[in-house]
Amino acid sequence: RSERFTRLLGDLQQVAEDLVTLSPAPAGLDRPAATIALEVLAAAWQTARERGLRARQKPTAKRLHAMRIAVRRVRYLAEWQSGLVSTGLNEFIAPVKALQDMLGDHQDAEVARSTLDELRPLSKGGSAKIIQDLADQQLKVQRRLERQFPAHWRACRRRRMVATRLWEPLRAAAGLPPLSHGGTTESKDV
């Protein structure tokens, strides 16, 4: 984690703690901050899940990049919330970070390959061949990472289900309905 991101997490943590101690609560914030935070995380996870389903069906660079953006949001929310609630989020964060890293490597390979493709027409002789070879290497990296995607995604889903089971008592105590975590409705191959 960068120092800047760590400071941001600390600032967000302080805001959340301040909101919890406000009495009376401002309009719309009459529920515990941890409950609101979990709802935000659940919504972010739902977006990531939907993008993951699309990426699993057809892992294009565009779909995997969209997935990466959604996963990054989930990770940052989970890291921030791990200070609010001790509900297994740390076990969830590790596979999410691994997935985000893998998707980042895929995007890096896509950008490199696209750049090389743009350079190829400007090259002559042996340098055009070298550029093509480098672009082919990046494509191989992308294909390898695309094959790894399902395993990384399954690891995140398993940890999410475990964490959600731990969150349910918090939601029940707050009088909220259970989260829809897809534990029994998600397809096993996604």
Side-chain angles (χ1 to χ4, degrees), residues 50-108:
E50 290 166 3
R51 290 181 182 178
L53 289 169
R54 285 192 293 272
R56 178 76 167 111
Q57 292 167 354
K58 186 176 181 184
T60 64
K62 185 176 181 177
R63 286 180 176 188
L64 290 171
H65 184 59
M67 175 70 180
R68 177 180 176 232
I69 292 167
V71 167
R72 181 178 58 208
R73 179 172 167 74
V74 167
R75 175 187 166 200
Y76 291 167
L77 285 167
E79 286 178 342
W80 170 59
Q81 291 174 27
S82 67
L84 286 176
V85 291
S86 55
T87 59
L89 281 176
N90 288 330
E91 292 83 17
F92 175 59
I93 292 168
V96 169
K97 182 183 183 315
L99 175 60
Q100 181 188 356
D101 290 346
M102 188 274 306
L103 292 169
D105 291 345
H106 186 278
Q107 181 63 19
D108 291 347

Side-chain angles (χ1 to χ4, degrees), residues 44-169:
W45 175 257
Q46 184 61 32
T47 298
R49 183 177 174 272
E50 290 166 3
R51 290 181 182 178
L53 289 169
R54 285 192 293 272
R56 178 76 167 111
Q57 292 167 354
K58 186 176 181 184
T60 64
K62 185 176 181 177
R63 286 180 176 188
L64 290 171
H65 184 59
M67 175 70 180
R68 177 180 176 232
I69 292 167
V71 167
R72 181 178 58 208
R73 179 172 167 74
V74 167
R75 175 187 166 200
Y76 291 167
L77 285 167
E79 286 178 342
W80 170 59
Q81 291 174 27
S82 67
L84 286 176
V85 291
S86 55
T87 59
L89 281 176
N90 288 330
E91 292 83 17
F92 175 59
I93 292 168
V96 169
K97 182 183 183 315
L99 175 60
Q100 181 188 356
D101 290 346
M102 188 274 306
L103 292 169
D105 291 345
H106 186 278
Q107 181 63 19
D108 291 347
E110 171 65 15
V111 169
R113 191 175 58 77
S114 296
T115 302
L116 290 165
D117 287 344
E118 290 173 11
L119 291 174
R120 192 175 329 112
L122 306 174
S123 305
K124 296 181 181 173
S127 55
K129 171 71 171 122
I130 291 170
I131 289 174
Q132 181 61 51
D133 290 346
L134 291 172
D136 290 345
Q137 286 176 352
Q138 293 304 308
L139 184 60
K140 286 179 185 177
V141 167
Q142 286 181 283
R143 296 304 171 252
R144 177 180 51 83
L145 293 169
E146 288 164 8
R147 288 189 302 274
Q148 292 175 3
F149 171 71
H152 282 280
W153 182 229
R154 278 191 301 272
C156 291
R157 287 181 45 244
R158 281 193 301 270
R159 287 299 178 188
R160 169 68 163 94
M161 287 184 266
V162 169
T164 299
R165 282 193 294 271
L166 297 169
W167 297 338
E168 292 306 336

